[in-house]
């Protein structure tokens, strides 16, 4: 059977940067094993399979796979697929809002597309808030895994911690961009986690961070841009930063060490000292399209 697919680069406005994504648009009839095999064939950090929604008021139902496993939710597949679906439906105009059904729940998206049909920008609100999963491993354990010194682990008030938004992450602060760039990819001590390294961005303004994400246990040695980890990072900021009530915009740069620079916009809304909502946003651009014969 012929099935349409499109590849996009996500969290970037430039082709051949950001995080590549494959989207299979005609996924009805594929079982889980077939989807996993196709994701292995594409061998990108994630592949999305688009199916009709279970409720007509939503735009589509999505299943998301890394080369090694299915995910209940992921950020760059949500942004890229939202932009692509908006481009597939020009009758709705250049700006639109819809819900995407993912394993984590309904993900509300707002999309603006480019007039030339080459891409656009999307943002989405998490259907759940980040969950604190406990302290992270001690620096003496993490440093050898990463090829760093224990003194490289930690920055300001930050210490290793674990947070999740469906996918879970061991979040590791490092003291400098030099240490961040020197870290070697490793698997988190908890095999269910990705390993998310972060440090303040000396070139940024306000709340700006440089990050890397390793997940060889998911089939992804290093990811150029990780929206789910950025979502979990909202929990890190709530734990270690003195953020007051209001809306806080956070700039995240990822993929620099891979030659795939990416920019993720994270927004936190805090009311009465509690986190009330988390939004992730970014750009996506179409790279290629074709047909699968499976």
């Amino acid at each position: 059977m012929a099935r349409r697919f499109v590849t996009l680069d996500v969290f970037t406005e430039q082709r051949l940067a950001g995080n590549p994504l494959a989207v299979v648009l005609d996924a009805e009839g594929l079982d889980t094993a077939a989807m996993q095999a196709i994701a292995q064939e594409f061998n990108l950090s994630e592949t999305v399979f688009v199916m009709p929604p279970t409720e007509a008021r939503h735009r589509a139902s999505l299943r998301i796979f890394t080369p090694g496993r299915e995910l209940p939710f992921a950020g760059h597949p949500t942004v890229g697929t939202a932009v692509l679906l908006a481009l597939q439906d020009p009758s709705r105009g250049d700006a639109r809002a819809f819900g995407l059904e993912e394993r984590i729940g309904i993900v509300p998206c707002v999309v603006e597309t480019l007039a030339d049909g080459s891409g656009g920008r999307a943002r989405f609100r998490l259907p759940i808030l980040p969950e604190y999963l406990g302290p992270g491993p001690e620096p003496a354990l993490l440093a050898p895994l990463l090829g760093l010194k224990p003194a490289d682990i930690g920055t300001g008030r930050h210490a290793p911690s674990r947070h999740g938004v469906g996918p879970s992450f061991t979040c590791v602060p490092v003291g400098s961009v030099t240490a961040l760039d020197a870290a070697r990819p490793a698997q988190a001590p908890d095999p269910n986690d990705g390993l998310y390294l972060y440090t303040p961005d000396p070139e940024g303004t306000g709340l700006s961070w440089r990050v890397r994400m390793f997940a060889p246990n998911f089939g992804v040695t290093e990811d150029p841009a990780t929206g789910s980890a950025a979502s979990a990072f909202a929990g890190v900021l709530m734990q270690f930063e003195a953020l007051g009530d209001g809306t806080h915009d956070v700039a995240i740069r990822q993929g620099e060490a891979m030659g795939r620079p990416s920019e993720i916009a994270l927004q936190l809304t805090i009311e009465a000292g509690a986190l009330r909502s988390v939004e992730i946003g970014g750009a996506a651009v179409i790279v290629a399209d074709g047909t699968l014969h499976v």
Side-chain angles (χ1 to χ4, degrees):
M1 177 178 175
R3 303 175 189 275
R4 295 177 298 154
F5 75 88
V6 176
T7 64
L8 305 95
D9 286 334
V10 184
F11 291 125
T12 180
E13 295 179 346
Q14 297 184 355
R15 292 180 177 89
L16 309 183
N19 199 351
L21 174 71
V23 181
V24 179
L25 286 164
D26 305 303
E28 286 185 275
L30 292 172
D31 62 17
T32 298
M35 292 181 187
Q36 186 66 74
I38 292 168
Q40 291 172 343
E41 182 76 11
F42 278 116
N43 200 33
L44 300 177
S45 55
E46 278 103 7
T47 297
V48 178
F49 298 87
V50 179
M51 293 165 290
T54 58
E55 296 185 27
R57 62 194 178 96
H58 301 143
R59 181 64 178 83
S61 176
L62 309 184
R63 293 183 68 180
I64 302 169
F65 289 77
T66 74
R69 58 177 280 187
E70 183 173 8
L71 300 178
F73 157 76
H76 106 275
T78 299
V79 167
T81 305
V83 168
L84 178 60
L85 292 177
L87 290 169
Q88 296 282 315
D89 192 9
S91 63
R92 297 191 182 189
D94 292 338
R96 68 219 66 176
F98 48 73
L100 295 175
E101 298 173 0
E102 300 187 25
R103 291 293 176 95
I104 198 175
I106 308 305
V107 182
C109 303
V110 177
V111 187
E112 297 180 2
T113 53
L114 297 175
D116 63 4
S118 63
R121 300 188 67 87
R123 70 179 188 273
F124 64 85
R125 178 173 292 187
L126 267 68
I128 64 171
L129 293 176
E131 179 184 5
Y132 174 63
L133 301 174
E138 292 296 323
L141 174 61
L142 289 167
L145 294 176
L146 296 165
L148 301 177
K149 300 175 182 178
D152 292 325
I153 308 297
T155 181
R157 294 183 293 269
H158 290 245
S161 60
R162 295 183 62 240
H163 295 262
V165 285
S168 58
F169 300 90
T170 296
C171 301
V172 182
V174 296
S176 67
V177 171
T178 299
L180 182 73
D181 289 345
R184 65 187 179 211
Q187 181 172 318
D190 189 311
N192 295 313
D193 286 6
L195 193 56
Y196 192 66
L197 279 62
Y198 64 94
T199 195
D201 186 350
E203 299 177 6
T205 58
L207 289 169
S208 299
W209 302 84
R210 287 271 303 276
V211 308
R212 297 176 72 184
M213 202 288 286
F214 310 136
N217 44 329
F218 301 165
V220 181
T221 301
E222 181 170 0
D223 200 27
T226 319
S228 56
S231 303
F233 188 57
V236 174
L237 296 176
M238 289 296 296
Q239 182 178 1
F240 294 110
E241 293 289 320
L243 300 178
D245 286 359
T247 298
H248 300 271
D249 291 309
V250 182
I252 296 174
R253 292 170 59 194
Q254 189 174 345
E256 304 279 343
M258 302 176 66
R260 303 280 309 193
S262 308
E263 297 183 358
I264 301 174
L266 168 65
Q267 187 178 84
L268 293 72
T269 300
I270 302 172
E271 297 176 2
L275 183 63
R276 298 301 182 188
S277 69
V278 176
E279 293 191 4
I280 293 288
V285 59
I286 291 176
V287 177
D289 59 73
T291 304
L292 285 172
H293 296 279
V294 293

